């Protein structure tokens, strides 16, 4: 009799193990994301990792809740995760005011034993001076220029922000008939100041030319500015 009961217990354990092995398993890390102080209105991104440590497909749906939920976003709010696989979830924090932004990322799943998980989110919007690039004009049309005459125009790079604007190494594309006479590469423009850039047009044939100038900078919202050149030889 004792042997019979022991066999029944062993069979039951094996069945429970098999059922568990064929179920999804929800695991989330980390349990908290602190974005710290972030300049308004610049975004910053951190990631969480959702893992399926079970043997069946895990279905996940997420939502942001709490007083500061509007400051947080992600690319996808739902995902299907294969057994023993993981999903990297980028969370963006974008403060719009000088406030605290407490929120919770609520994660629901089809894991019957552990159907939900929460990630606590926190961040603070602060003021900090930033550079702001402004280029005028955004296109130069030299019109008709008959060789050997050369055309001259200029653009103005202006810093309308409060922090120093750092210009990187400029680059050009298109026709090689447009020459930068005053290279702004690696220049620093203080807040409220501007820098003129002279552009030469040296046509070599009686056809239309076009090109562009790419100006990289440390403007956090506009790291590259493109100026278009046009001319008729």
């Amino acid at each position: 009799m004792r042997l019979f009961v022991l066999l029944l217990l062993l069979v039951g354990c094996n069945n429970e193990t098999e059922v568990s092995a064929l179920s999804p398993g929800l695991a989330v890390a980390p349990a908290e994301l602190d974005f710290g102080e972030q300049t308004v209105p610049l975004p910053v991104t951190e990631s969480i990792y959702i893992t399926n440590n079970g043997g069946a497909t895990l279905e996940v749906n997420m939502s942001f809740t709490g007083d500061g939920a509007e400051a947080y976003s992600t690319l996808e709010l739902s995902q299907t995760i294969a057994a023993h696989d993981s999903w990297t979830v980028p969370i963006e924090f974008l403060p719009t005011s000088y406030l605290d932004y407490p929120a919770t990322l609520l994660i629901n799943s089809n894991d019957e034993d552990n159907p939900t998980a929460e990630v606590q989110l926190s961040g603070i919007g602060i003021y900090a001076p930033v550079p702001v690039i402004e280029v005028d004009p955004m296109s130069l049309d030299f019109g008709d220029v008959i060789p050997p005459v050369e055309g001259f125009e200029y653009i103005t790079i202006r810093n309308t922000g409060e922090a120093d604007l750092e210009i990187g190494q400029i680059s050009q594309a298109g026709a090689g008939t447009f020459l930068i006479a005053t290279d702004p590469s690696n220049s620093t423009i203080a807040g409220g100041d501007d820098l003129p850039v002279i552009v030469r047009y040296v046509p070599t044939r009686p056809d239309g030319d076009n090109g562009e100038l790419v100006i990289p900078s440390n403007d956090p919202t506009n790291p590259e500015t493109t100026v278009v050149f046009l001319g008729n030889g």
Side-chain angles (χ1 to χ4, degrees):
M1 181 65 177
R2 289 180 180 176
L3 180 59
F4 178 72
V5 171
L6 180 60
L7 289 173
L8 285 178
L9 289 174
L10 289 174
V11 170
C13 289
N14 287 336
N15 288 338
E16 289 179 5
T17 302
E18 291 176 2
V19 170
S20 177
L22 295 177
S23 300
L26 173 65
V28 180
E32 178 180 335
L33 279 183
D34 184 0
F35 290 87
E37 296 181 341
Q38 181 63 18
T39 302
V40 175
L42 304 181
V44 62
T45 301
E46 300 284 352
S47 294
I48 65 168
Y49 305 92
I50 301 178
T51 300
N52 179 7
N53 54 23
T57 298
L58 178 68
E59 302 290 343
V60 172
N61 292 283
M62 305 185 299
S63 60
F64 295 96
T65 63
D67 293 340
E70 74 278 2
Y72 301 95
S73 63
T74 188
L75 299 175
E76 297 177 279
L77 288 172
S78 61
Q79 187 65 269
T80 298
I81 307 174
H84 310 297
D85 202 357
S86 294
W87 178 31
T88 300
V89 185
I91 307 296
E92 181 180 88
F93 173 50
L94 178 60
T96 56
S97 299
Y98 311 128
L99 301 171
D100 290 345
Y101 289 89
T104 300
L105 177 62
L106 181 62
I107 303 168
N108 294 299
S109 76
N110 62 335
D111 180 349
E112 294 183 0
D113 296 327
N114 183 32
T116 64
E118 294 183 354
V119 177
Q120 300 302 315
L121 306 173
S122 59
I124 304 172
I126 63 168
Y127 168 79
V130 295
V132 179
I133 190 171
E134 182 180 285
V135 179
D136 183 46
M138 293 294 291
S139 65
L140 285 181
D141 189 346
F142 289 83
D144 295 328
V145 179
I146 308 300
V149 176
E150 297 181 3
F152 288 87
E153 296 286 350
Y154 73 94
I155 61 174
T156 300
I157 304 174
R158 185 173 291 107
N159 179 9
T160 61
E162 298 180 12
D164 286 349
L165 177 68
E166 304 289 344
I167 304 298
Q169 184 66 46
I170 64 169
S171 61
Q172 286 184 257
T177 53
F178 300 99
L179 307 175
I180 306 302
T182 54
D183 190 344
S185 296
N186 306 313
S187 298
T188 299
I189 306 174
D193 286 350
D194 57 54
L195 178 66
V197 178
I198 299 174
V199 183
R200 295 169 55 202
Y201 175 44
V202 187
T204 58
R205 57 183 182 176
D207 295 314
D209 294 302
N210 63 80
E212 65 179 30
L213 172 67
V214 179
I215 306 171
S217 73
N218 64 333
D219 181 334
T221 60
N222 191 21
E224 284 192 349
T225 304
T226 300
V227 181
V228 176
F229 300 146
L230 300 171
N232 292 315

